[in-house]
Amino acid sequence: MSAPARSGYAAWVNWLEAFRRGENPSTEGLGPVRGGFGSYVEARLLDRLSAAFAERVRQWQTALGERIVAQPPDGPVAAGALFQDATARLEPLARLADSPLVPRPLAVSMHDMLRTVREGARSALDEAWRRGLEDVHAPGMPAQRGVDPARSAMVRRPGVGVGPRR
């Protein structure tokens, strides 16, 4: 009985390392994480599973944040499209949370985390396009995204060169 548990544990560890790196390996051949491993080994495996899942969520949040900063949505339609695209990339995490291999309490926790992350992403996208709208309509502010306000205070005057606005 201990030999299958070790090979099962090793298979899970290998799977989790690939998953943590952003890969989406097949769960075929993995056994359920409940019983059969022994309480200590099972607890370690559950810790690794939780850590790998949290790392993938963190990677997803980082990628979405970088995308929002690089090209903020310019309205609710663009924000919605970006949200749809981003949430589609959460599908491997949802599949893991739905897997019968994962103990029910952990699966529920994973789904709660995914729900919270989606809500946070929706709020961040809404805020990003609204902030862009405010920037465009703010008096005295440059209307273009990506314009440095400090540089916009610099103007070119005939015969004077570039200098601060007076």
Side-chain angles (χ1 to χ4, degrees):
M1 176 146 180
S2 64
R6 273 183 281 183
S7 66
Y9 180 80
W12 264 107
V13 168
N14 290 335
W15 187 91
L16 288 170
E17 286 307 311
F19 185 76
R20 179 189 293 263
R21 288 189 307 266
E23 299 172 26
N24 298 312
S26 170
T27 57
E28 189 173 323
L30 294 177
V33 183
R34 49 179 104 69
F37 288 107
S39 61
Y40 175 75
V41 173
E42 186 171 320
R44 284 187 49 154
L45 185 55
L46 289 173
D47 282 346
R48 284 178 171 236
L49 183 56
S50 295
F53 188 85
E55 174 61 19
R56 283 290 294 268
V57 168
R58 188 198 63 74
Q59 291 169 9
W60 181 87
Q61 289 173 314
T62 299
L64 179 60
E66 289 171 353
R67 189 167 177 196
I68 291 171
V69 168
Q71 187 174 6
D74 58 3
V77 173
L82 187 55
F83 180 76
Q84 289 297 98
D85 180 57
T87 56
R89 285 184 268 119
L90 284 174
E91 187 55 36
L93 284 81
R95 275 196 311 271
L96 178 59
D98 288 337
S99 173
L101 302 174
V102 176
R104 180 82 179 128
L106 181 56
V108 168
S109 176
M110 289 172 160
H111 278 292
D112 288 345
M113 180 182 275
L114 289 173
R115 188 173 18 269
T116 300
V117 164
R118 283 185 193 105
E119 289 169 4
R122 184 179 304 279
S123 295
L125 285 162
D126 286 347
E127 181 181 321
W129 76 261
R130 285 193 174 106
R131 188 175 39 235
L133 185 63
E134 290 168 1
D135 289 350
V136 168
H137 290 53
M141 293 298 296
Q144 294 175 283
R145 291 188 188 272
V147 174
D148 180 0
R151 293 192 75 175
S152 69
M154 308 293 270
V155 295
R156 182 165 199 89
R157 296 184 184 173
V160 177
V162 177
R165 200 181 276 178
R166 296 185 183 176

